[in-house]
Amino acid sequence: MAGAVGGAGGSGWTWRPVARDPLLARAFHSCTELRGRFYLVGGLLAGGAREPSNDTVVFDPAGGQAVRVGTQDGPRRSHHDAAPVGGRWLCVVGGWDGSRRLATVAALDTELGVWEAWRAAQGNCPPAGLSSHTCTRLSDRELRVAGREGGTRTQRRYGSIYTLRLDPGARTYCYKEEGCHTVSRSGHCAALLQSPGLHQGHQLLLFGGCNSAEPEVAGRWSHGRIKEEPLVAPRLTEQLARLVSSGQGSRQGPRGLRHHSCSVVGPFAVLFGGETLTRARDTICNDLYIYDTRKSPSLWFHFPCADHGLKRTGHRTCLWNDQLYLVGGFGEDGRTASSQVCILDFFI
């Protein structure tokens, strides 16, 4: 059981392979669960690739099968993000198309299997261009976009926050820049979590993408403002609670981490892998970090891994059916894309 921490009688974890398909081998793609299927869009098929892929692959976690969506006119993107809308559309936001950073929205109609280029609505105030940003659902028609905009010569010294409103009926989108800013971040992750303490509500936290080890708040909402129904994963939540209570993890958060994955499981944000900014060699990681918000202040738990075969960057994790899935990403050499699908497994 590769990737485990702890020994006999101790606590541990691993990523257990459950499927493999060459169609899934990519990094810096998006992977979004919609109606029990994982939709993989674009990405880089090999390290050093100059042009992103424009294909779309659907993975069925129940059957372990991957198929390519028949349409060949998908958006050519990497370093983008995506979100489900209306239980039907998969909206791809921003990203790199091989020549420039975009802020446009393309949508896959999953019922018809066709891609649509949605148009900007009146009053749209878009970012200069987005890549390695995050896009978080606040409701079925509202997303929160966070990250550094523009290229290396034009980017600001801070991170911008945008509200992106979507209208599936009109096939339009509209950006509005929020008045607050964040630390300049790229390759970070975002987690919408319930606020700890007496004042119940939600907060959007950004992790990594810069040298800081501390999460940063990119939005706060009072109780009842966020209508999103979190995915229920009682067994996985209990397993994570037992892992952080095992004494095996150190109270250490990730410092200088980017291009890692992040999934919210109940009161926990689960981060894995990525690329560290703190050393010049052996930069790709295989560590598991858990951010526990059950009490105030929230606590970090770090669980290292000895298995170099589990090093990943530019990968994605998806929560479905009380399991956390790991899909794609480049391995230890930073060039070879993984074709495996794994689930987070525990022995406690």
Side-chain angles (χ1 to χ4, degrees), residues 73-329:
D73 57 350
R76 193 173 295 278
R77 297 284 190 278
S78 70
H79 301 80
H80 56 285
D81 209 351
V85 174
R88 173 174 176 176
W89 288 274
L90 177 69
C91 289
V92 171
V93 178
W96 174 254
D97 71 352
S99 61
R100 61 194 176 110
R101 294 167 177 84
L102 305 172
T104 54
V105 175
L108 174 67
D109 185 333
T110 60
E111 291 186 0
L112 300 179
V114 297
W115 280 98
E116 304 168 342
W118 289 12
R119 59 184 177 84
Q122 186 175 3
N124 181 52
C125 295
L130 295 166
S131 65
S132 298
H133 54 290
T134 55
C135 185
T136 307
R137 273 177 57 110
L138 303 181
S139 70
D140 203 35
R141 295 195 175 196
E142 188 172 285
L143 311 177
R144 180 60 61 100
V145 179
R148 196 165 58 203
E149 58 179 294
T152 55
R153 294 183 181 180
T154 61
Q155 65 198 11
R156 301 170 178 175
R157 298 193 178 193
Y158 55 82
S160 302
I161 300 175
Y162 289 84
T163 296
L164 177 59
R165 291 185 171 86
L166 304 167
D167 187 341
R171 308 297 201 269
T172 61
Y173 63 92
C174 187
Y175 284 97
K176 175 192 172 186
E177 185 170 5
E178 299 296 323
C180 52
H181 297 105
T182 67
V183 170
S184 181
R185 295 175 187 266
S186 179
H188 56 286
C189 66
L192 184 64
L193 292 155
Q194 287 195 344
S195 304
L198 297 176
H199 303 288
Q200 290 297 314
H202 286 83
Q203 57 183 353
L204 180 64
L205 298 181
L206 306 182
F207 301 96
C210 63
N211 287 324
S212 172
E214 294 304 314
E216 187 173 12
V217 177
R220 284 192 176 95
W221 297 268
S222 58
H223 180 70
R225 291 287 304 277
I226 298 295
K227 304 299 184 184
E228 279 292 272
E229 292 294 331
L231 292 174
V232 177
R235 187 179 65 88
L236 182 57
T237 301
E238 174 61 24
Q239 289 173 322
L240 291 169
R242 292 172 63 188
L243 182 63
V244 300
S245 301
S246 68
Q248 295 288 332
S250 62
R251 298 282 185 88
Q252 177 187 359
R255 186 174 185 85
L257 195 64
R258 65 179 180 181
H259 304 314
H260 47 292
S261 62
C262 176
S263 291
V264 174
V265 183
F268 304 107
V270 182
L271 283 65
F272 175 70
E275 179 183 357
T276 181
L277 300 169
T278 61
R279 55 181 184 259
R281 297 182 179 180
D282 190 27
T283 59
I284 297 178
C285 305
N286 53 1
D287 302 76
L288 183 72
Y289 291 93
I290 299 175
Y291 190 67
D292 183 356
T293 67
R294 290 176 296 174
K295 295 181 181 179
S296 183
S298 301
L299 297 175
W300 277 112
F301 293 90
H302 173 213
F303 299 89
C305 173
D307 185 356
H308 285 212
L310 289 180
K311 288 178 178 281
R312 292 286 189 280
T313 186
H315 54 289
R316 294 282 184 162
T317 52
C318 272
L319 181 63
W320 178 78
N321 197 28
D322 218 351
Q323 300 275 9
L324 190 62
Y325 288 78
L326 170 66
V327 184

Side-chain angles (χ1 to χ4, degrees), residues 39-75:
Y39 286 81
L40 283 72
V41 176
L44 302 177
L45 303 186
R50 294 182 178 273
E51 194 169 84
S53 169
N54 70 337
D55 71 347
T56 304
V57 173
V58 181
F59 175 72
D60 175 9
Q65 301 296 317
V67 295
R68 182 179 279 119
V69 173
T71 179
Q72 298 297 313
D73 57 350

